[in-house]
Amino acid sequence: MKKTIAILLAAGKSERFGNQIPKPFLFLKQKPIYQYSLEVLIDHPQINEIILVVPSSLLEISEEIKSKYKKPIQIISGGKTRFESVHLALKAIDVSFQNVLIHDAARPFLSSLFIDGCLSALTKSMAVSCAISSTDTLAETSNNQVASFPNRALIKRIQTPQAFEKELLKKAFSIAISAGNTSFTDETSLIHHHLSTKIMLIDGNEENIKITHPLDLIIAEQILKKQN
Ligand code: CTP
Ligand code: MG
């Protein structure tokens, strides 16, 4: 049985949200946003260990969370970019792990079904991501004018979790660093850019929102109400 480690990313600056406290640490009802997905990872039998990546200013306080749970959790400081945060987490992974599952702590509605789906697809493909269809018509633009309309039926919005064979992910990082091309918003786009690996998509869902703007927190409260 391959061992899987989860990286939970909570080290961003939340610039679009615009709050003093980074958004994964804001409260959604009774607990901080990051704790929702952390607990799903903790409860999932195929996740053997978790690396929680936090801003350096919150490292000490975050350490306290470890004693709450039985599963091993490493807490590390993130970097200036997502690429750096994931790279730092990759360096902290023990050699015994073959699979890596990455999730945005800003997505509180992680479902264990997404983890099941990612890990099951990972037996057939080296890279997997959750994705959903787009309900809006999407346009490619140039200077704020429409350049083209991609076929919406073929367009997907990429979410997390995403799962990878660890060695593949490490290879993509090292190629990206050598090429000096490290500005990616997620790891599937990094892999797609630097390697020819097929990336399998599985169904995420509309409730798996990423808290990005303040309105998303109001939406998250409603989703939580509906779920309980
Ligand atoms: N993230 C991270 N380290 C970074 C940047 C992002 O761990 N240097 C994490 C965020 O904390 C978040 C997830 O990656 O959980 C998705 O990123 P995003 O929604 O872009 O969060 P922020 O980068 O914090 O927000 P913004 O881009 O608005 O500043
Ligand atoms: Mg960001």
Side-chain angles (χ1 to χ4, degrees):
M1 186 78 175
K2 289 187 173 171
K3 278 177 74 185
T4 301
I5 190 159
I7 299 173
L8 184 59
L9 291 170
K13 289 198 200 74
S14 308
E15 276 167 356
R16 286 168 291 177
F17 195 93
N19 196 293
Q20 291 279 303
I21 305 169
K23 59 194 182 183
F25 296 86
L26 291 175
F27 270 63
L28 171 60
K29 291 285 170 213
Q30 70 280 15
K31 56 191 180 192
I33 287 169
Y34 79 90
Q35 224 166 295
Y36 287 84
S37 46
L38 179 65
E39 288 176 359
V40 175
L41 293 168
I42 282 168
D43 289 342
H44 198 285
Q46 282 175 274
I47 301 294
N48 303 99
E49 193 175 317
I50 297 156
I51 301 181
L52 174 63
V53 191
V54 301
S56 53
S57 58
L58 295 170
L59 187 63
E60 217 164 303
I61 180 117
S62 304
E63 286 283 336
E64 290 168 18
I65 195 89
K66 282 192 202 172
S67 57
K68 260 189 92 170
Y69 304 107
K70 287 214 179 76
K71 195 167 273 186
I73 306 176
Q74 280 191 65
I75 319 251
I76 65 164
S77 289
K80 282 201 193 73
T81 62
R82 182 198 178 93
F83 184 93
E84 276 181 42
S85 288
V86 176
H87 193 223
L88 289 164
L90 280 179
K91 286 189 201 160
I93 297 180
D94 185 81
V95 288
S96 61
F97 291 96
Q98 292 83 28
N99 294 334
V100 180
L101 181 127
I102 300 181
H103 186 64
D104 299 331
R107 293 183 193 271
F109 302 112
L110 172 62
S111 153
S112 61
L113 294 176
F114 301 154
I115 303 175
D116 293 345
C118 280
L119 295 182
S120 156
L122 204 57
T123 60
K124 297 176 214 119
S125 176
M126 295 161 89
V128 184
S129 178
C130 286
I132 57 172
S133 301
S134 174
T135 48
D136 290 325
T137 298
L138 298 170
E140 220 168 60
T141 64
S142 162
N143 299 324
N144 223 22
Q145 291 187 344
V146 170
S148 67
F149 282 108
N151 180 354
R152 193 178 68 190
L154 299 176
I155 298 290
K156 295 272 184 187
R157 291 161 55 197
I158 303 294
Q159 301 184 325
T160 69
Q162 303 183 353
F164 310 97
E165 288 190 3
K166 183 185 71 181
E167 289 309 319
L168 178 89
L169 191 57
K170 284 173 85 170
K171 187 172 167 192
F173 270 79
S174 87
I175 295 171
I177 290 164
S178 305
N181 184 357
T182 64
S183 51
F184 296 93
T185 52
D186 72 347
E187 292 59 53
T188 53
S189 54
L190 161 75
I191 286 182
H192 182 75
H193 191 86
H194 288 296
L195 296 166
S196 56
T197 312
K198 285 203 177 84
I199 300 166
M200 195 179 279
L201 297 179
I202 63 161
D203 288 340
N205 69 29
E206 290 285 351
E207 290 186 3
N208 183 25
I209 59 164
K210 180 159 69 69
I211 312 267
T212 305
H213 300 106
L215 176 65
D216 297 320
L217 199 50
I218 297 166
I219 296 169
E221 278 166 14
Q222 296 308 314
I223 295 172
L224 198 61
K225 244 189 226 165
K226 184 181 143 276
Q227 287 184 349
N228 292 321

